[in-house]
Amino acid sequence: SQTIHQWPATLVQPVGSPLSLECTVEGTSNPNLYWYRQAAGRGLQLLFYSVGIGQISSEVPQNLSASRPQDRQFILSSKKLLLSDSGFYLCAWSGPGGSDSPLHFGNGTRLTVT
Amino acid sequence: SQQGEEDPQALSIQEGENATMNCSYKTSINNLQWYRQNSGRGLVHLILIRSNEREKHSGRLRVTLDTSKKSSSLLITASRAADTASYFCARGAGGFKTIFGAGTRLFVKA
């Protein structure tokens, strides 16, 4: 069966520090991969998605970036964190149908920028 | 906003009662999805209903879709304390962007 791993679970970083969040998927090939951010008590905002290795689409311009160095690995990065980057970051994968396929989420990373 | 509107924002019921959550949207859809999120965890997919479907069931869950009214509802029958969570509707409109609403927080009292 397919599983998705996301780490770390929690992270406290000072303003201006770099960020690297990692997500890996097991049990499926060529998944579509997504990074979402959830503000407290709110819905999810799509940040990036990827349909293949090295292919990244950005939905929201900001100081975050994403990379997909391997088929089942998705990384969210920042060179310099802002206070506004605090939030709950969720990685997800779907089958080839894009938004016509259900999303399968990791357990998220709670990021606090101080 | 492209997000759907969920109603109510919060719902508190007794165990054994039914819980109904509603979702409205503004633009056309290919499908409407419902997800559940326990506190501090990732979202879990519950049901996907396509635009040409009107009703779908999964265990104690029943989802309806009315494309003429641009609305959907999620019914949880015979609720349990373990159903306490936030429930989100999300619409798939083609492409790769699934758009989520702000969610309904359900609290089931034992």
Side-chain angles (χ1 to χ4, degrees), chain B residues 41-71:
Chain B
R41 307 283 285 183
L43 281 73
V44 175
H45 178 259
L46 297 176
I47 289 183
L48 182 152
I49 185 166
R50 303 201 182 279
S51 60
N52 61 352
E53 297 175 308
R54 291 296 168 259
E55 188 170 311
K56 216 163 181 180
H57 296 256
S58 177
R60 294 183 295 112
L61 306 180
R62 172 179 168 246
V63 167
T64 60
L65 178 63
D66 187 335
T67 52
S68 67
K69 294 181 179 178
K70 290 187 167 58
S71 67

CSV table of all heavy atoms in Angstrom, one decimal, chain B residues 41-71:
chain,number,residue,atom,x,y,z
B,41,ARG,N,-3.1,16.9,12.6
B,41,ARG,CA,-2.7,15.8,11.7
B,41,ARG,C,-3.0,16.2,10.2
B,41,ARG,O,-3.6,17.3,9.9
B,41,ARG,CB,-3.6,14.6,12.0
B,41,ARG,CG,-3.5,14.1,13.4
B,41,ARG,CD,-2.2,13.4,13.8
B,41,ARG,NE,-2.2,12.1,13.2
B,41,ARG,CZ,-1.2,11.2,13.4
B,41,ARG,NH1,-0.2,11.6,14.1
B,41,ARG,NH2,-1.3,10.0,12.9
B,42,GLY,N,-2.6,15.3,9.3
B,42,GLY,CA,-2.9,15.6,7.9
B,42,GLY,C,-4.4,15.3,7.6
B,42,GLY,O,-5.1,14.8,8.4
B,43,LEU,N,-4.8,15.6,6.4
B,43,LEU,CA,-6.2,15.4,6.0
B,43,LEU,C,-6.3,14.0,5.4
B,43,LEU,O,-5.4,13.4,4.8
B,43,LEU,CB,-6.6,16.4,4.9
B,43,LEU,CG,-7.0,17.8,5.4
B,43,LEU,CD1,-5.8,18.6,5.8
B,43,LEU,CD2,-7.8,18.5,4.3
B,44,VAL,N,-7.5,13.4,5.7
B,44,VAL,CA,-7.8,12.1,5.1
B,44,VAL,C,-8.9,12.2,4.2
B,44,VAL,O,-10.0,12.8,4.5
B,44,VAL,CB,-8.1,11.1,6.3
B,44,VAL,CG1,-8.6,9.7,5.8
B,44,VAL,CG2,-6.9,10.9,7.2
B,45,HIS,N,-8.8,11.6,3.0
B,45,HIS,CA,-9.8,11.7,2.0
B,45,HIS,C,-11.0,10.8,2.4
B,45,HIS,O,-10.8,9.6,2.8
B,45,HIS,CB,-9.3,11.2,0.6
B,45,HIS,CG,-10.3,11.2,-0.4
B,45,HIS,ND1,-10.9,10.0,-0.9
B,45,HIS,CD2,-10.9,12.2,-1.2
B,45,HIS,CE1,-11.8,10.3,-1.8
B,45,HIS,NE2,-11.8,11.6,-2.0
B,46,LEU,N,-12.2,11.3,2.3
B,46,LEU,CA,-13.4,10.5,2.7
B,46,LEU,C,-14.2,10.1,1.4
B,46,LEU,O,-14.4,8.9,1.2
B,46,LEU,CB,-14.3,11.4,3.5
B,46,LEU,CG,-13.8,11.8,4.9
B,46,LEU,CD1,-14.8,12.7,5.6
B,46,LEU,CD2,-13.4,10.6,5.7
B,47,ILE,N,-14.6,11.0,0.6
B,47,ILE,CA,-15.5,10.7,-0.5
B,47,ILE,C,-15.2,11.7,-1.7
B,47,ILE,O,-15.0,12.9,-1.4
B,47,ILE,CB,-17.0,10.7,-0.2
B,47,ILE,CG1,-17.3,9.6,0.7
B,47,ILE,CG2,-17.8,10.7,-1.4
B,47,ILE,CD1,-18.8,9.5,1.1
B,48,LEU,N,-15.2,11.2,-2.9
B,48,LEU,CA,-15.1,12.1,-4.1
B,48,LEU,C,-16.4,11.8,-4.9
B,48,LEU,O,-16.7,10.7,-5.1
B,48,LEU,CB,-13.9,11.7,-4.9
B,48,LEU,CG,-13.7,12.6,-6.2
B,48,LEU,CD1,-12.2,12.6,-6.5
B,48,LEU,CD2,-14.4,12.0,-7.4
B,49,ILE,N,-17.1,12.9,-5.2
B,49,ILE,CA,-18.4,12.8,-5.9
B,49,ILE,C,-18.2,13.6,-7.2
B,49,ILE,O,-17.8,14.7,-7.2
B,49,ILE,CB,-19.6,13.2,-5.1
B,49,ILE,CG1,-20.9,12.9,-5.9
B,49,ILE,CG2,-19.5,14.6,-4.7
B,49,ILE,CD1,-22.2,13.0,-5.1
B,50,ARG,N,-18.5,13.0,-8.3
B,50,ARG,CA,-18.2,13.6,-9.6
B,50,ARG,C,-19.5,14.5,-10.0
B,50,ARG,O,-20.5,14.3,-9.5
B,50,ARG,CB,-18.0,12.6,-10.7
B,50,ARG,CG,-16.8,11.7,-10.4
B,50,ARG,CD,-16.1,11.0,-11.5
B,50,ARG,NE,-15.0,10.2,-11.0
B,50,ARG,CZ,-13.8,10.6,-10.8
B,50,ARG,NH1,-13.5,11.9,-10.9
B,50,ARG,NH2,-12.9,9.8,-10.3
B,51,SER,N,-19.2,15.4,-10.9
B,51,SER,CA,-20.3,16.4,-11.2
B,51,SER,C,-21.5,15.8,-11.8
B,51,SER,O,-22.6,16.4,-11.7
B,51,SER,CB,-19.7,17.5,-12.1
B,51,SER,OG,-19.3,16.9,-13.3
B,52,ASN,N,-21.4,14.6,-12.4
B,52,ASN,CA,-22.6,13.9,-12.9
B,52,ASN,C,-23.3,13.0,-11.9
B,52,ASN,O,-24.2,12.2,-12.3
B,52,ASN,CB,-22.2,13.2,-14.2
B,52,ASN,CG,-21.2,12.1,-14.0
B,52,ASN,OD1,-20.6,12.0,-12.9
B,52,ASN,ND2,-21.0,11.3,-15.0
B,53,GLU,N,-22.8,13.0,-10.7
B,53,GLU,CA,-23.4,12.1,-9.7
B,53,GLU,C,-24.2,13.0,-8.7
B,53,GLU,O,-23.9,14.2,-8.5
B,53,GLU,CB,-22.3,11.4,-8.9
B,53,GLU,CG,-21.5,10.4,-9.8
B,53,GLU,CD,-20.4,9.7,-9.0
B,53,GLU,OE1,-19.6,10.4,-8.4
B,53,GLU,OE2,-20.3,8.5,-9.1
B,54,ARG,N,-25.2,12.4,-8.1
B,54,ARG,CA,-26.0,13.2,-7.2
B,54,ARG,C,-25.9,12.8,-5.7
B,54,ARG,O,-26.1,13.6,-4.8
B,54,ARG,CB,-27.5,13.1,-7.6
B,54,ARG,CG,-27.8,13.7,-8.9
B,54,ARG,CD,-27.6,15.2,-8.8
B,54,ARG,NE,-27.6,15.9,-10.1
B,54,ARG,CZ,-26.5,16.2,-10.7
B,54,ARG,NH1,-25.3,16.1,-10.2
B,54,ARG,NH2,-26.6,16.8,-11.9
B,55,GLU,N,-25.5,11.5,-5.5
B,55,GLU,CA,-25.4,11.0,-4.1
B,55,GLU,C,-24.4,9.9,-4.1
B,55,GLU,O,-24.3,9.1,-5.0
B,55,GLU,CB,-26.8,10.5,-3.7
B,55,GLU,CG,-26.8,10.1,-2.2
B,55,GLU,CD,-28.3,9.9,-1.8
B,55,GLU,OE1,-29.1,10.7,-2.1
B,55,GLU,OE2,-28.5,8.8,-1.1
B,56,LYS,N,-23.7,9.8,-2.9
B,56,LYS,CA,-22.7,8.8,-2.8
B,56,LYS,C,-22.6,8.4,-1.3
B,56,LYS,O,-22.8,9.2,-0.4
B,56,LYS,CB,-21.3,9.2,-3.3
B,56,LYS,CG,-20.5,8.1,-3.9
B,56,LYS,CD,-19.4,8.7,-4.7
B,56,LYS,CE,-18.6,7.6,-5.4
B,56,LYS,NZ,-17.5,8.1,-6.2
B,57,HIS,N,-22.4,7.1,-1.0
B,57,HIS,CA,-22.4,6.6,0.3
B,57,HIS,C,-21.1,5.9,0.6
B,57,HIS,O,-20.5,5.3,-0.3
B,57,HIS,CB,-23.6,5.6,0.5
B,57,HIS,CG,-24.9,6.2,0.4
B,57,HIS,ND1,-25.7,6.5,1.5
B,57,HIS,CD2,-25.6,6.5,-0.7
B,57,HIS,CE1,-26.9,7.0,1.0
B,57,HIS,NE2,-26.8,7.0,-0.3
B,58,SER,N,-20.7,6.0,1.8
B,58,SER,CA,-19.5,5.2,2.3
B,58,SER,C,-19.7,5.0,3.8
B,58,SER,O,-19.5,5.9,4.6
B,58,SER,CB,-18.2,5.9,2.0
B,58,SER,OG,-17.1,5.2,2.5
B,59,GLY,N,-20.1,3.8,4.1
B,59,GLY,CA,-20.3,3.5,5.6
B,59,GLY,C,-21.4,4.4,6.1
B,59,GLY,O,-22.5,4.5,5.6
B,60,ARG,N,-21.0,5.1,7.2
B,60,ARG,CA,-22.0,6.1,7.8
B,60,ARG,C,-22.0,7.4,7.1
B,60,ARG,O,-22.7,8.4,7.6
B,60,ARG,CB,-21.7,6.2,9.3
B,60,ARG,CG,-21.8,5.0,10.1
B,60,ARG,CD,-21.5,5.2,11.6
B,60,ARG,NE,-20.1,5.5,11.8
B,60,ARG,CZ,-19.7,6.7,12.3
B,60,ARG,NH1,-20.6,7.7,12.5
B,60,ARG,NH2,-18.4,6.9,12.5
B,61,LEU,N,-21.3,7.6,6.1
B,61,LEU,CA,-21.2,8.9,5.4
B,61,LEU,C,-22.1,8.9,4.1
B,61,LEU,O,-22.2,7.9,3.4
B,61,LEU,CB,-19.8,9.1,4.9
B,61,LEU,CG,-18.7,9.1,6.0
B,61,LEU,CD1,-17.3,9.4,5.4
B,61,LEU,CD2,-19.0,10.0,7.1
B,62,ARG,N,-22.8,10.0,4.0
B,62,ARG,CA,-23.6,10.2,2.8
B,62,ARG,C,-23.3,11.6,2.2
B,62,ARG,O,-23.4,12.6,3.0
B,62,ARG,CB,-25.1,10.0,3.1
B,62,ARG,CG,-26.0,10.4,1.9
B,62,ARG,CD,-27.5,10.2,2.3
B,62,ARG,NE,-28.4,10.8,1.4
B,62,ARG,CZ,-29.2,11.8,1.6
B,62,ARG,NH1,-29.2,12.4,2.8
B,62,ARG,NH2,-30.0,12.3,0.7
B,63,VAL,N,-22.9,11.7,1.0
B,63,VAL,CA,-22.6,12.9,0.4
B,63,VAL,C,-23.6,13.2,-0.8
B,63,VAL,O,-23.9,12.3,-1.5
B,63,VAL,CB,-21.2,13.0,-0.2
B,63,VAL,CG1,-21.0,14.2,-1.1
B,63,VAL,CG2,-20.2,13.0,0.9
B,64,THR,N,-24.2,14.4,-0.8
B,64,THR,CA,-25.0,14.8,-2.0
B,64,THR,C,-24.4,15.9,-2.7
B,64,THR,O,-23.6,16.7,-2.1
B,64,THR,CB,-26.4,15.1,-1.5
B,64,THR,OG1,-26.3,16.2,-0.6
B,64,THR,CG2,-27.1,14.0,-0.8
B,65,LEU,N,-24.7,16.0,-3.9
B,65,LEU,CA,-24.2,17.1,-4.8
B,65,LEU,C,-25.4,17.7,-5.6
B,65,LEU,O,-26.1,16.9,-6.3
B,65,LEU,CB,-23.1,16.6,-5.7
B,65,LEU,CG,-22.5,17.7,-6.6
B,65,LEU,CD1,-21.8,18.8,-5.9
B,65,LEU,CD2,-21.5,17.0,-7.6
B,66,ASP,N,-25.6,19.0,-5.6
B,66,ASP,CA,-26.6,19.7,-6.4
B,66,ASP,C,-25.9,20.7,-7.2
B,66,ASP,O,-25.6,21.8,-6.7
B,66,ASP,CB,-27.6,20.3,-5.5
B,66,ASP,CG,-28.8,20.9,-6.3
B,66,ASP,OD1,-28.6,21.2,-7.5
B,66,ASP,OD2,-29.9,21.0,-5.7
B,67,THR,N,-25.5,20.4,-8.4
B,67,THR,CA,-24.8,21.3,-9.3
B,67,THR,C,-25.6,22.5,-9.7
B,67,THR,O,-25.0,23.6,-9.9
B,67,THR,CB,-24.2,20.6,-10.5
B,67,THR,OG1,-25.3,19.9,-11.2
B,67,THR,CG2,-23.2,19.6,-10.1
B,68,SER,N,-26.9,22.4,-9.7
B,68,SER,CA,-27.7,23.5,-10.1
B,68,SER,C,-27.7,24.6,-9.0
B,68,SER,O,-27.7,25.8,-9.2
B,68,SER,CB,-29.2,23.1,-10.3
B,68,SER,OG,-29.8,22.7,-9.1
B,69,LYS,N,-27.5,24.2,-7.7
B,69,LYS,CA,-27.4,25.1,-6.6
B,69,LYS,C,-26.0,25.3,-6.2
B,69,LYS,O,-25.7,26.1,-5.2
B,69,LYS,CB,-28.2,24.5,-5.4
B,69,LYS,CG,-29.7,24.5,-5.6
B,69,LYS,CD,-30.4,24.0,-4.4
B,69,LYS,CE,-31.9,23.9,-4.6
B,69,LYS,NZ,-32.7,23.4,-3.5
B,70,LYS,N,-25.0,24.6,-6.8
B,70,LYS,CA,-23.6,24.7,-6.5
B,70,LYS,C,-23.4,24.4,-5.0
B,70,LYS,O,-22.8,25.3,-4.3
B,70,LYS,CB,-23.0,26.1,-6.9
B,70,LYS,CG,-22.9,26.3,-8.4
B,70,LYS,CD,-22.2,27.6,-8.8
B,70,LYS,CE,-21.8,27.6,-10.2
B,70,LYS,NZ,-22.9,27.5,-11.2
B,71,SER,N,-23.9,23.3,-4.6
B,71,SER,CA,-23.8,23.0,-3.2
B,71,SER,C,-23.7,21.5,-3.0
B,71,SER,O,-24.1,20.7,-3.8
B,71,SER,CB,-25.0,23.5,-2.4
B,71,SER,OG,-26.2,22.8,-2.8
